[in-house]
Amino acid sequence: VRPVCPLTDKSGSFFCSVSHDKRFVIAVAAKFRVGVDVEVLTERVLKARHLYMHEREKALADRSPLGKIGASLRIWSIKEAMAKAFHMTLAEAWDRVAVKEIGEDLSRAFLNENRYEAIHHQVSDHLFTLVNTGCDV
């Protein structure tokens, strides 16, 4: 069951997504499918790259000016946010979502040949990612 945010006039609901870690909570509601994620920047993201990254994504992360950790965490975070937005398991998102561009503040990913943008914001050692798909709920 995914979270929904009912409108006060009971005319429907907004799609919403939530994420948290030990320090932060983020919640977003939108008229479109949306996914959010918050993660701590740590080296642990490198240990599981073989699970959640395609070879092209590994190469993209390895040559990123953000460094392996920063780029890898963005890929992880994008896939987690996309999983929430499209009601996929994390394993499905790891396989089906293809990250094509990684930026400090903006990245691009594809799902079923459709392009989506992920917005990132880093606060200290925490990365926040938002994917607003523009797709109706």
Side-chain angles (χ1 to χ4, degrees):
V1 175
R2 302 292 179 180
V4 292
C5 301
L7 299 174
T8 56
D9 67 2
K10 302 191 187 324
S11 64
S13 62
F14 278 7
F15 193 87
C16 57
S17 181
V18 297
S19 185
H20 67 88
D21 66 10
K22 291 181 180 179
R23 184 172 173 200
F24 292 105
V25 173
I26 182 171
V28 177
K31 292 180 181 179
F32 303 103
R33 291 181 179 272
V34 64
V36 294
D37 187 40
V38 59
E39 298 288 341
V40 178
L41 229 68
T42 66
E43 288 187 13
R44 72 178 171 84
V45 74
L46 300 178
K47 294 177 184 175
R49 284 172 28 132
H50 67 284
L51 295 174
Y52 69 91
M53 279 192 199
H54 303 288
E55 289 303 317
R56 185 180 184 286
E57 293 167 336
K58 288 178 190 173
L60 196 60
D62 288 347
R63 66 177 186 268
S64 171
L66 297 168
K68 280 187 183 182
I69 295 171
S72 296
L73 190 61
R74 280 166 175 77
I75 292 170
W76 170 278
S77 193
I78 290 165
K79 291 187 178 196
E80 186 160 330
M82 291 283 286
K84 292 174 183 177
F86 288 101
H87 304 285
M88 292 185 282
T89 66
L90 200 47
E92 287 175 311
W94 291 346
D95 182 52
R96 296 178 53 203
V97 174
V99 177
K100 302 290 185 173
E101 295 176 36
I102 307 168
E104 184 174 354
D105 301 320
L106 181 71
S107 298
R108 290 185 176 83
F110 283 79
L111 175 63
N112 301 331
E113 300 182 17
N114 296 310
R115 185 179 90 160
Y116 302 99
E117 292 185 342
I119 299 167
H120 309 288
H121 187 72
Q122 193 169 324
V123 176
S124 182
D125 62 344
H126 290 74
L127 178 70
F128 295 83
T129 299
L130 166 70
V131 174
N132 184 341
T133 68
C135 299
D136 289 333
V137 175

